[in-house]
Amino acid sequence: MVNGEQESGVIGQTITEFLKQRNAPIENIVVEQNGKIVHRSEFDTTKIGENDKLELISFVGGG
């Protein structure tokens, strides 16, 4: 589940791989996995499991 929607083909990917596949701006995004924030330094080593729930939060600047 990603942001409340079923996502297929992501099991076993790292957070970095998943974000790159979605063209997400890694430097401006916060990832929560199963209720815990994943530190950006752990994106390359944190894998997505079968029953994981991800929340992606991106920051947008403006005025």
Side-chain angles (χ1 to χ4, degrees):
M1 297 288 284
V2 178
N3 291 346
E5 296 186 19
Q6 189 68 34
E7 184 90 20
S8 62
V10 299
I11 296 170
Q13 288 184 344
T14 66
I15 299 290
T16 298
E17 292 168 337
F18 172 72
L19 294 174
K20 283 183 178 180
Q21 179 182 5
R22 299 178 118 227
N23 294 319
I26 293 174
E27 61 280 350
N28 295 330
I29 201 158
V30 174
V31 178
E32 183 181 280
Q33 183 179 35
N34 301 320
K36 296 182 180 180
I37 293 181
V38 179
H39 294 278
R40 193 168 289 118
S41 63
E42 298 173 341
F43 281 9
D44 289 340
T45 57
T46 302
K47 296 207 177 215
I48 300 171
E50 185 173 346
N51 296 313
D52 283 354
K53 292 180 182 175
L54 299 177
E55 292 292 327
L56 307 178
I57 304 162
S58 60
F59 296 95
V60 178

